[in-house]
Amino acid sequence: MSGIHLESAKYKNAPFKVSHSLIRPSDTVPYSPGDAVTGNTTQTIMFTVAGVPEGAILTIQQAELMRDGTSADYFELWLFHTDVTANNDNDPFSLSDIDLDKGDGGIIDFTDARSSGNGLRYVTRLDPGNKIKISDGSRSFYGLLKSVSGNTPVSGEYYKIELKGVVG
């Protein structure tokens, strides 16, 4: 029912920007290729989009990952319309079949790290964009971060993920 509202001029192509920050555990245990990257507590990454109808369809056009570590890695951000079960930090990234079915937002690759201040910044432009439909009754969608190539992190390393796009 909420998808009907998206055809109105009020929401169609309206820009949005969401972000989520996490601080990984205070250790330097190396990530192996395919490990989960989470905060101090096992958590999914939650993005809440204000000012859109519940159950909106979003088109993500740009994704940024900023971190204060300087050891280059290749990351994937897996997107889900509903919350999923997160792995512990440094554990192999794995999803149940039930959680895989929630993954209609696609996977965003962060491959091109650039020096930025005291850390690294990755910018991914998505053309034509990753679409995700937020679950009816919600304005939030979720993500999990995966280390693809592996690296040695900074103890208590800070990560910030920012997504930009339009409604529809």
Side-chain angles (χ1 to χ4, degrees):
M1 189 71 171
S2 59
I4 293 170
H5 300 289
L6 295 177
E7 298 306 317
S8 74
K10 182 176 181 181
Y11 298 111
K12 188 72 174 167
N13 295 318
F16 74 88
K17 178 170 90 170
V18 293
S19 65
H20 181 94
S21 299
L22 66 92
I23 298 174
R24 63 169 308 284
S26 297
D27 64 47
T28 56
V29 175
Y31 288 114
S32 296
D35 277 358
V37 178
T38 64
N40 284 318
T41 59
T42 300
Q43 61 186 9
T44 52
I45 296 165
M46 184 170 82
F47 300 102
T48 300
V49 186
V52 300
E54 295 177 351
I57 297 171
L58 306 173
T59 302
I60 300 166
Q61 298 170 321
Q62 180 174 307
E64 293 185 45
L65 170 65
M66 285 90 39
R67 51 188 281 251
D68 59 6
T70 57
S71 174
D73 192 357
Y74 165 21
F75 294 93
E76 291 177 344
L77 176 63
W78 291 52
L79 296 174
F80 306 89
H81 64 269
T82 306
D83 201 5
V84 295
T85 303
N87 303 111
N88 291 322
D89 191 65
N90 284 98
D91 281 354
F93 185 92
S94 65
L95 293 168
S96 69
D97 290 341
I98 292 169
D99 285 343
L100 279 171
D101 286 343
K102 300 174 185 176
D104 60 356
I107 301 169
I108 297 174
D109 296 318
F110 293 108
T111 60
D112 188 18
R114 307 286 173 138
S115 290
S116 175
N118 294 330
L120 295 173
R121 180 173 179 241
Y122 305 73
V123 177
T124 302
R125 294 191 186 353
L126 305 163
D127 186 22
N130 281 35
K131 287 201 180 277
I132 185 165
K133 184 188 180 308
I134 298 173
S135 290
D136 289 337
S138 179
R139 288 185 178 90
S140 298
F141 63 99
Y142 301 85
L144 294 173
L145 192 60
K146 176 181 174 182
S147 171
V148 177
S149 58
N151 77 63
T152 301
V154 173
S155 177
E157 187 170 348
Y158 173 81
Y159 289 77
K160 180 178 180 184
I161 300 167
E162 187 174 272
L163 305 175
K164 299 175 186 175
V166 295
V167 176

